[in-house]
């Protein structure tokens, strides 16, 4: 096993050394003022990254999945109707969670590779005149298919229907990597985790609640204890947690936010877009196609690449791991064996990405695909050299 190479899976992402070190800290008393010096910068930093002025931010020792549960159980009651599109493995799992909590999910079945069908959302919301739908779910970036949905258009569909439902957005593989606008899009709950855009180990669910979503906790009757935001909120006022916080991870988050904000969120977003464009040009040069059906859907954090009929895409991932000690992502669910995924988010530079593209080429050639060594790398190189990163102003 080699740890020399970066990984190219869409989370957990590569960890900068500084963040690894920040997570590795001596024990502190989490009931002392020291903890507040970690907690409060994290709350402020995440609020900025989400693009919000007054969202309430919460951290749970959990993962993105726990963030989904936080969104649902704090705001909804048994039997409540929610609207959700199923267009990949992650939206599927969130729907499954809703059903297990006794929610009534109106599922819009959507081909894998398509985004949220906002016209269909609009039609459903228009006809829901007595407002049975209490929440609209939106997976911003479907990590299984590399599809980015248009959250502004989801909000527009809700507004056009004058619909009061809450808007919950899964931003696990988009927040801190792609444009995300909590306030502008009227998001009520945003969900993410520590191990993707924030470049940390897994272990934190990171959620933002709007004022309306916080208020919904007063009437929501789904069972919750560990994920009750009211306990968190009360504890935060005393710079504490209702239980033992994962202090090392939060210390890592504090530094992650400093690094992201120093680079500048707009620059972080532009870097992801630039790296992703190089990957897509490489895919084109290989003569392959993305799972995402059209350019406006292309994700800037993960590309799911279709392999030719009769070829098992998972072989590329297995081969890369065994022969070159490099990790790519396998296809999940409906697209298992049909796609392999290149994750390109988090702590990543153009130069690192070129090594991933070169490795993917070696694997495909080794396995007999009709791909020319260097073709994708050259396409990405041409793009990267003609679109250099703006020099970081370091003080
Ligand atoms: C990774 C991911 C999740 C799941 O997060 P966990 O941290 O693994 O629980 C949910 N949604 C999306 C879109 C993801 O990419």
């Amino acid at each position: 096993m080699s740890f020399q190479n970066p990984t190219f899976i869409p989370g957990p992402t590569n960890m900068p050394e500084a963040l690894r070190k920040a997570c590795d800290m001596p024990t502190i008393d989490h009931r002392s003022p020291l903890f507040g010096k970690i907690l409060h910068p994290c709350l402020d930093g995440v609020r900025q990254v989400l693009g919000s002025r007054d969202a309430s931010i919460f951290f749970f020792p959990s993962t993105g999945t726990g963030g989904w549960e936080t969104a649902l159980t704090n705001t909804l009651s048994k039997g409540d109707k929610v609207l959700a599109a199923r267009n990949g493995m992650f939206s599927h799992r969130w729907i499954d969670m809703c059903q297990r909590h006794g929610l009534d999910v109106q599922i819009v079945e959507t081909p894998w590779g398509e985004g949220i069908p906002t016209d269909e959302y609009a039609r459903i919301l228009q006809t829901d005149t007595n407002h049975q739908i209490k929440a609209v779910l939106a997976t911003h970036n479907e990590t299984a298919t590399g599809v980015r949905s248009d959250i502004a258009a989801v909000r527009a569909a809700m507004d056009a229907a004058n619909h009061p439902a809450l808007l919950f957005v899964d931003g696990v593989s988009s927040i801190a990597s792609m444009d995300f606008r909590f306030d502008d899009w009227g998001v009520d709950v945003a969900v993410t985790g520590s191990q993707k855009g924030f470049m940390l180990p897994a272990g934190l669910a990171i959620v933002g609640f709007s004022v309306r979503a916080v208020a919904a906790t007063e009437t929501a009757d789904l069972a919750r204890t560990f994920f009750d935001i009211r306990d968190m909120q009360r504890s935060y006022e005393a710079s504490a947690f209702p239980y033992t916080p994962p202090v090392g991870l939060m210390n890592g988050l504090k530094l992650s936010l400093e690094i992201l904000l120093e680079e500048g969120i707009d620059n972080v977003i532009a870097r992801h877009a630039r790296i992703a464009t190089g990957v897509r040009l490489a895919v084109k040069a290989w003569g392959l196609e993305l799972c995402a059906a059209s350019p406006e859907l292309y994700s800037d954090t993960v590309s799911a690449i279709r392999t030719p009929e009769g070829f098992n895409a998972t072989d590329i991932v297995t081969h890369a791991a065994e022969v070159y000690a490099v990790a790519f992502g396998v296809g999940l669910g409906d697209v298992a064996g049909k796609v392999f995924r290149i994750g390109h988010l988090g702590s990543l530079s153009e130069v690192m990405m070129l090594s991933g593209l070169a490795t993917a080429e070696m694997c495909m050639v080794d396995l007999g695909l009709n791909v020319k060594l260097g073709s994708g790398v050259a396409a990405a190189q041409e793009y990267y050299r003609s679109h250099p990163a703006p020099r970081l102003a370091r003080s």
Side-chain angles (χ1 to χ4, degrees), residues 63-65 68 90 139 141 143 170 172-173 195-196:
T63 67
T65 305
W68 285 344
F90 292 92
T139 300
N141 189 69
T143 318
D170 173 338
V172 181
S173 61
Q195 80 277 22
K196 297 191 182 171

Side-chain angles (χ1 to χ4, degrees), residues 16 18 255 258-264 267-268 271 347 349 389-395:
L255 184 59
E258 286 168 14
I259 291 172
L260 289 166
L261 294 171
E262 193 206 279
E263 183 177 351
N267 291 330
V268 171
R271 170 166 55 83
S347 179
S349 64
R391 245 178 238 296
L392 295 181
R394 295 217 176 265
S395 45

